Amino acid sequence: MKVSGIHAFEWQRLAGLLMLCSLVSSATVSTYLSADDKSQLITLFSSAAPYKDVITAYWSLRGLATLNSLPKDSSSVCQSLKSLPAESAEAIFCANEAAELVNCKLTATAVQTEALNAALTSKKVGSLYHAFLAMQRLKLKVDATQVNAALDEALKADDAPTSLGYSFLLAKALNMDLDKRHSLIEDVYAQADVVDGKYMQFEGGIYTTSLVVEGSYALAAAAKKAPTLKPDQVMQLANYLLSRRHVSKVRSASQMLAALTTLSSNKFFVPVAISLDKPGSTVGAKNKKIAVRVGTVNGESIGKVTLTADSGRHVADDAIVLSKEPLQVTSDPSVFELDFTTIKAPFGFYEVQITATPAKPDAKLVGLKGSIKFKVVTEITIDSVQLGVGEKDVIAPQTTKVVYPNKAKKLDADVHQKLYMSFYIKSAATSVAMKAHQVFVRMTHKVTGQEIAYVSTPDDGTKQYKFELNVGAKEKEFGSLSGVYEMALLVGDAIIQNPIEWTVAEVELSFTGQPSEESADSQYKPKPTIEHMFREPEKRPAAIVSNVFTILCIAPFVIMLLMWLKLGINVSNFPMSLSALGFHIGLTGDMCSQLEYSLDVTCYTLVWISKIVIVEIMRV
């Protein structure tokens, strides 16, 4: 088809804008679905067999088909699919799709046909999708216009991301109102959550996110219009999908794999992953090159490209160690090497910004700028070791030199003395003094194996490490356990290739106190049971006192009754009017409510009971 000049110009401008967006995209993809990841997924999908239900069978077989690892014995799988029940629309759909993957033919029963027809009247988008595609696969008669109208009604009731994801796939299958459905792509991604500016996900998790990605791209392809997405959003979606590549559920893993495959092969936006070829790669004396891989999120090639290291930064001090350094392609066209032979890079952590430039500009590639993080490691040695014992009041005791890795002569120290050691940690390659993250001096009793460790800290200026042990002051920490101790130096760090555990000397420590009877491993034995002690109740008076008090409280009431009897109460003259009855009932209720409140009734219940008193108040 011939393209007019104006249209050609518009396409060129669109391509230029997409290329520009790919260069300024802030989100980058620094990992991909490696061969090991694919192997783990194949193991996960294969472990679902023998299948117990058709839904699991479908997702398992779909994942295996995506990875070109379908079982060779398809006849047994087919027989299993025929024997498993499939009554719901989703189950019927899964059974027939799974059968198609293994070249197996299924026919619909009367019960299944009835279930599919019933699902077409559902208000759930997922049911409409499963029913329509299942009827298409089974070559059953279905009215696409009626299904499209039902889809409109279902979306009015539920426009959640999961429903919209199914609606995109259903719209593609119906091939109706594509532009109308395409306009919903922007709406659904507006519902997504962005985490740390790097990950984009939907509330439903990995399955919902993968479903929306697959559905939106499928609908865009059918409508021949790019999905309404920004390059940053594409990269964020890819990052989220890759962060969940070790998911353990078959359905989620299969849908995630389908979404990653969609992102790797489409006509609109293909995120580019720039990462280390092998995670955890390091640069050291034996390895001066770092391998960088560029490709799709599925680990596939994006064609011929060149890589340039724009800048390399030492994380600790922000020093720039390289600029505009080209990377050399290897036998694998997707793998490049950055050579550090001529680059002066001190040990530590580095971040290198890399730009990928395709040999043929491709507007669909986004994320052509990325970064890799790695470390330059070094072997170390212990130098200028000074070891000695002196009086605890002496600032600089007399010491002797010890050469690493030799062991010094035995030393003796008591509670009036202190043990002293100083040393430097140096890079074996450059002899430059350095600091390490973990530096300990460990004292181990030769008989009991009891250990105690101390942290050795360096001087900020000279980077010289010092260790002093005041024997008398630390007697309690040693449990007054005298004897011969092995003094060992332990050094470790993420950038050290050869962590050190060096027995410097044997030291006999003499304490004045008696050692504890507890054995060295007593800390690992069960401790005594802790029994909670409740507060003891206060001492109460004798029973006779409380009884007399009760009688005194009741006495006025008894005296009142006796006086009434003596005076002669005219009960027969009691007025039987409503107001009189209300007064006495209210009075009685007031007394009863106070009695109940003093016993076990809360103030809230008392409010309800006291409503009776209102009658009395009104009477008064």
Side-chain angles (χ1 to χ4, degrees):
M1 180 179 69
K2 186 176 180 180
V3 181
S4 67
I6 295 177
H7 288 159
F9 172 75
E10 291 294 329
W11 276 106
Q12 290 173 2
R13 188 173 68 171
L14 176 61
L17 287 173
L18 290 174
M19 285 293 290
L20 178 61
C21 289
S22 70
L23 292 177
V24 300
S25 175
S26 58
T28 60
V29 177
S30 57
T31 186
Y32 66 100
L33 197 68
S34 65
D36 289 341
D37 295 329
K38 293 176 182 177
S39 178
Q40 290 180 10
L41 288 171
I42 291 174
T43 302
L44 173 65
F45 297 141
S46 301
S47 65
Y51 304 118
K52 297 180 180 179
D53 61 88
V54 292
I55 296 177
T56 302
Y58 164 65
W59 290 111
S60 170
L61 292 171
R62 186 186 181 188
L64 291 172
T66 306
L67 296 171
N68 298 318
S69 300
L70 282 170
K72 296 180 180 179
D73 184 13
S74 59
S75 59
S76 60
V77 177
C78 181
Q79 198 64 31
S80 176
L81 293 173
K82 290 180 178 180
S83 62
L84 291 172
E87 299 176 355
S88 66
E90 182 183 7
I92 300 168
F93 163 81
C94 290
N96 285 275
E97 292 297 317
E100 182 69 17
L101 292 172
V102 293
N103 297 320
C104 178
K105 186 173 180 59
L106 299 181
T107 56
T109 64
V111 175
Q112 290 177 335
T113 303
E114 184 179 352
L116 292 174
N117 285 321
L120 290 178
T121 62
S122 172
K123 294 291 185 180
K124 295 182 179 179
V125 182
S127 297
L128 292 173
Y129 166 75
H130 292 130
F132 180 75
L133 267 71
M135 294 182 79
Q136 272 195 331
R137 182 70 68 188
L138 291 167
K139 294 181 171 52
L140 298 176
K141 186 178 180 180
V142 58
D143 187 347
T145 304
Q146 183 181 356
V147 175
N148 191 50
L151 176 59
D152 286 331
E153 294 300 318
L155 287 176
K156 290 178 182 178
D158 182 12
D159 61 350
T162 304
S163 297
L164 287 171
Y166 281 125
S167 73
F168 297 153
L169 294 172
L170 179 55
K172 177 192 175 184
L174 290 169
N175 198 27
M176 300 174 67
D177 291 340
L178 296 180
D179 290 340
K180 176 182 175 181
R181 308 298 181 200
H182 186 277
S183 65
L184 297 176
I185 294 178
E186 184 176 6
D187 295 340
V188 70
Y189 283 110
Q191 301 182 44
D193 299 321
V194 178
V195 181
D196 297 333
K198 187 177 181 181
Y199 306 100
M200 176 177 279
Q201 66 186 73
F202 290 95
E203 187 177 350
I206 182 62
Y207 179 79
T208 299
T209 306
S210 302
L211 178 65
V212 171
V213 170
E214 183 189 16
S216 59
Y217 271 84
L219 176 59
K224 298 181 181 179
K225 297 168 71 174
T228 316
L229 279 168
K230 298 177 182 178
D232 266 4
Q233 292 177 311
V234 177
M235 305 298 282
Q236 291 164 353
L237 288 167
N239 278 327
Y240 175 73
L241 294 174
L242 288 169
S243 71
R244 298 294 185 270
R245 62 187 182 275
H246 300 305
V247 63
S248 59
K249 292 184 178 179
V250 173
R251 186 179 82 148
S252 298
S254 183
Q255 186 62 68
M256 176 270 299
L257 186 60
L260 286 175
T261 303
T262 298
L263 289 178
S264 296
S265 55
N266 65 83
K267 299 178 180 180
F268 308 111
F269 301 106
V270 176
V272 176
I274 299 176
S275 63
L276 294 174
D277 184 39
K278 296 180 180 178
S281 299
T282 60
V283 175
K286 298 179 181 179
N287 178 35
K288 290 291 185 179
K289 296 180 180 180
I290 197 80
V292 180
R293 174 178 287 275
V294 59
T296 68
V297 291
N298 257 7
E300 299 165 355
S301 174
I302 59 172
K304 188 176 181 180
V305 296
T306 58
L307 292 190
T308 304
D310 297 328
S311 65
R313 179 177 67 92
H314 189 230
V315 175
D317 54 12
D318 282 335
I320 302 299
V321 298
L322 60 88
S323 178
K324 300 298 180 182
E325 188 76 22
L327 279 71
Q328 304 301 317
V329 67
T330 64
S331 56
D332 185 341
S334 297
V335 179
F336 295 76
E337 288 182 338
L338 180 59
D339 195 346
F340 274 79
T341 304
T342 59
I343 300 174
K344 293 183 179 180
F347 44 82
F349 292 88
Y350 287 84
E351 182 175 7
V352 177
Q353 303 294 328
I354 293 178
T355 298
T357 307
K360 294 182 179 180
D362 192 343
K364 69 182 180 182
L365 297 177
V366 295
L368 292 172
K369 276 185 174 291
S371 65
I372 57 171
K373 295 179 181 180
F374 59 93
K375 59 185 178 182
V376 176
V377 298
T378 182
E379 292 187 353
I380 63 166
T381 185
I382 309 300
D383 193 28
S384 304
V385 183
Q386 297 292 328
L387 179 67
V389 175
E391 297 301 320
K392 61 181 180 181
D393 297 330
V394 178
I395 297 177
Q398 185 177 359
T399 60
T400 57
K401 185 177 181 180
V402 183
V403 179
Y404 171 80
N406 299 328
K407 187 176 178 180
K409 295 180 179 179
K410 183 180 177 183
L411 300 174
D412 298 305
D414 57 32
V415 293
H416 302 292
Q417 296 175 310
K418 68 178 178 181
L419 182 64
Y420 175 85
M421 181 174 67
S422 64
F423 57 92
Y424 288 91
I425 300 173
K426 293 185 176 181
S427 168
T430 62
S431 297
V432 175
M434 59 179 286
K435 296 180 182 181
H437 186 255
Q438 295 179 330
V439 182
F440 301 100
V441 176
R442 185 184 65 201
M443 307 293 292
T444 306
H445 196 277
K446 292 198 67 175
V447 177
T448 65
Q450 177 177 319
E451 294 182 356
I452 185 168
Y454 297 95
V455 177
S456 181
T457 56
D459 181 88
D460 291 334
T462 63
K463 298 181 181 179
Q464 182 187 40
Y465 282 84
K466 294 181 180 180
F467 167 71
E468 288 188 2
L469 176 64
N470 188 327
V471 179
K474 300 296 183 181
E475 179 174 355
K476 186 176 180 181
E477 294 180 5
F478 282 85
S480 300
L481 183 60
S482 302
V484 179
Y485 287 80
E486 280 191 347
M487 178 181 178
L489 176 64
L490 287 75
V491 181
D493 197 292
I495 61 172
I496 292 177
Q497 281 185 300
N498 59 326
I500 288 176
E501 183 180 3
W502 171 36
T503 302
V504 182
E506 290 185 355
V507 183
E508 184 166 357
L509 300 180
S510 300
F511 300 105
T512 56
Q514 293 297 319
S516 172
E517 295 181 358
E518 294 183 2
S519 60
D521 60 347
S522 62
Q523 58 181 319
Y524 304 111
K525 292 181 178 179
K527 302 299 181 184
T529 303
I530 299 175
E531 296 182 357
H532 182 70
M533 298 293 293
F534 292 94
R535 188 180 69 175
E536 295 183 1
E538 297 180 1
K539 195 172 183 180
R540 298 190 174 214
I544 188 171
V545 176
S546 60
N547 292 335
V548 170
F549 181 77
T550 303
I551 292 172
L552 290 175
C553 290
I554 297 175
F557 182 72
V558 175
I559 293 172
M560 183 188 69
L561 294 177
L562 293 174
M563 292 181 68
W564 283 357
L565 291 174
K566 185 176 181 180
L567 294 173
I569 301 175
N570 189 4
V571 179
S572 61
N573 199 29
F574 179 81
M576 297 303 292
S577 63
L578 183 63
S579 59
L581 289 173
F583 172 78
H584 288 285
I585 292 173
L587 181 62
T588 306
D590 182 38
M591 297 176 65
C592 291
S593 64
Q594 293 188 38
L595 178 63
E596 286 295 318
Y597 180 67
S598 64
L599 295 175
D600 59 353
V601 174
T602 64
C603 61
Y604 300 104
T605 309
L606 182 62
V607 171
W608 181 83
I609 297 175
S610 297
K611 290 179 181 179
I612 304 173
V613 183
I614 297 175
V615 178
E616 178 189 349
I617 296 174
M618 294 176 64
R619 174 69 178 86
V620 175

